[in-house]
Amino acid sequence: MLGLSLLAFAHLAMAATLTTVVDRERVRAGESFVVTFVYDGEDADPDFTPFERDFEIYHQGQSRNFRISGGEVRVETTWSLVLGPRKQGELSLPRIRFGDELSGSRTITVVEGQAGAVNTPDETGAGDLFVEVEIDKRVPYVQEQVLYTARVFHAVPIENATLTKPAVSDGDAVVDRLGEDRRYQAERDGRRYAVTERRFAVFPQTSGRLTIDPVRLDAEVPVPAAGSGTTGFLRPSITRPARAESAPVALDVKAPPADAPQPWLPARSVTLEEDWPDLDTVRVGAPITRRITLRAEGLMDSQLPALSVPLPDGVKSYPERPARQTRTGENGVSGRLDQTIAIVPAAAGTMTLPAVSLDWWNTETDRRETLRLPPRILEVEAVSTPGPGVPGTDPGGATRFPGSPWWLSLLSLGLGLAWLVTLLLWRRDRRREKPAAARAMPVSRRVAEARLRAACRAGDPGAARDALLAWGGAVRPGRPPRSLGTLAGMTDNAVAGEIANLERALYAPDAATWRGDALYRAVAAFDPAGRTNDRPASSLRPIEKLGHGT
């Protein structure tokens, strides 16, 4: 009893916390969403009736659990509400009191029930199971992101459900899945359905007509036991096959405008940021690290070009290979490129680093825009001449200490040379090393070739190398290559020759501007003997088992 009293006292002594979580902030009329409150204070009896003004409460649940963290005891109570909006527009959730705490403010956007849908329940009249698809844009540009959403509606339980991935005909496109499935409830023609939503990003690769073929749902529906109206108790489950298919979607893909910038970057938004040390003066030979970050909403990282950073005479630069990353979110994909450059001034005086600019195409306003980083001006000071009693440099270049033996100067020179060799070897390994994240994410040959094509068109040898190694992993899944040299030995003479050209562009200090057209053609024409483990385009991806949800 004493131990429990102490635990209770420790809990009461801690400040209470309240968390409000909304599973979706954008819903359609007739759909439901979930609001969750987690409170770890004293017993609370919240009143949820204020929700009834703008929302219908379909379900309300409560649970409690104990949690020990850092020696502290927390008793967490969770309330979950399944709500349906009563009207469209921007609806604010009421703030609910839990003890001495008020829930956070949240806003829900409710839009028209079937906006953007391209098909309705099946024509059989049953309406127990159907698939609806939606796109956010019908007339996109080449390489612009199109959001494709497939929704499975079912008013009866389904088992062993699989949904095909969107396939493309009458054109060419890259299709990537976005995140995990969403689950909620919705109403159609007065009937309530459980809904599973799956989203994809489609990137058209050629202009003209593009058709996204129907996606197909294959599932099993339980059959009621004879004479009971329900499945029998302790009887084997009896099911029948069921199939539903969406409507096809046609896109009219536009070519880039005549005044489009190169490289071609069609995006909703693009930002260019710089991380620069806070200084106005540097010394000759002292390195300065400049980091530039490029972000784009609606583009994958492979579509982002390596940045051209001009430098004045008398300045040495040591750029690292750009780091790339793609993330998925509510609005599809967002790509990021981080470019780090070590700048070393070689002469005293005023050093002016020119501005860095990038042109891109704003798909929201349908016009060309320019991003610009301002020029940087620094004063470069010469290395001060050592005075009496301070270590200096003899005519041979070795560090000299007054009164020290000659071998100490040679030792200093040797240590300096060893450090320089170590630095050069480290930089070479950093440039040649392939990021572990890229090795750990295998892709299909089709996706890898599409990314390679984008990198070749952008003239980006670093991105081409990443895409090429991913392509090698798709072609030879049993022994994926870890270097371009290994990949060259696994291909034919045409591909190996273009790989050699790519390596010169990556590592040769005086390499000319690289163009990857020939590399992409050689890769696209390559047909490895005995290719295996390529999944067919029509393969099914399972949907997790769903409950009734009605």
Side-chain angles (χ1 to χ4, degrees), residues 6 23 46 68 134 166 187 294 347 400 422 428 511:
L6 290 176
D23 70 333
I68 299 178
E134 176 185 347
E187 188 174 299
L294 173 63
R400 174 176 51 81
T422 302
R428 185 196 65 181

Side-chain angles (χ1 to χ4, degrees), residues 102-120:
L102 274 177
S103 62
S105 60
R106 294 288 190 276
T107 300
I108 302 297
T109 302
V110 184
V111 298
E112 187 179 355
Q114 289 181 272
V118 297
N119 68 307
T120 54

Side-chain angles (χ1 to χ4, degrees), residues 381-434:
E381 296 180 347
V383 178
S384 59
T385 304
V390 180
T393 305
D394 63 19
T399 304
R400 174 176 51 81
F401 295 86
S404 63
W406 62 270
W407 56 267
L408 188 58
S409 297
L410 293 178
L411 177 61
S412 174
L413 177 61
L415 291 174
L417 291 175
W419 174 84
L420 179 60
V421 171
T422 302
L423 176 63
L424 293 175
L425 291 175
W426 175 80
R427 286 194 55 80
R428 185 196 65 181
D429 292 341
R430 283 290 303 274
R431 295 180 67 182
R432 290 177 178 266
E433 181 182 3
K434 180 162 181 64

Side-chain angles (χ1 to χ4, degrees), residues 434-443 482:
K434 180 162 181 64
R439 293 196 302 264
M441 298 179 64
V443 298
R482 296 184 177 272

Side-chain angles (χ1 to χ4, degrees), residues 501-514:
N501 293 334
L502 176 61
E503 286 190 308
R504 280 193 291 271
L506 285 168
Y507 306 123
D510 57 347
T513 301
W514 177 77

Side-chain angles (χ1 to χ4, degrees), residues 276 285-290 292 307-321 339-347 351 353-354 423-424 427 431 507-510:
W276 182 260
I288 312 165
T289 301
R290 187 181 196 182
I292 300 177
L307 300 173
S308 174
V309 182
L311 293 173
D313 295 335
V315 175
K316 297 180 180 179
S317 67
Y318 302 92
E320 295 185 6
R321 191 166 63 85
Q339 193 157 330
T340 302
I341 306 170
I343 299 173
V344 182
M351 179 180 71
L353 300 179
L423 176 63
L424 293 175
R427 286 194 55 80
R431 295 180 67 182
Y507 306 123
D510 57 347

Side-chain angles (χ1 to χ4, degrees), residues 59-103:
H59 176 76
Q60 177 179 328
Q62 179 180 345
S63 63
R64 177 174 295 180
N65 68 289
F66 294 84
R67 178 171 60 87
I68 299 178
S69 177
E72 298 179 344
V73 178
R74 294 281 184 175
V75 182
E76 290 185 342
T77 305
T78 301
W79 289 265
S80 297
L81 280 72
V82 180
L83 304 175
R86 298 182 184 273
K87 57 184 178 180
Q88 298 180 24
E90 300 287 337
L91 303 182
S92 297
L93 300 184
R95 302 188 69 182
I96 306 300
R97 180 168 295 280
F98 295 76
D100 295 332
E101 301 293 327
L102 274 177
S103 62

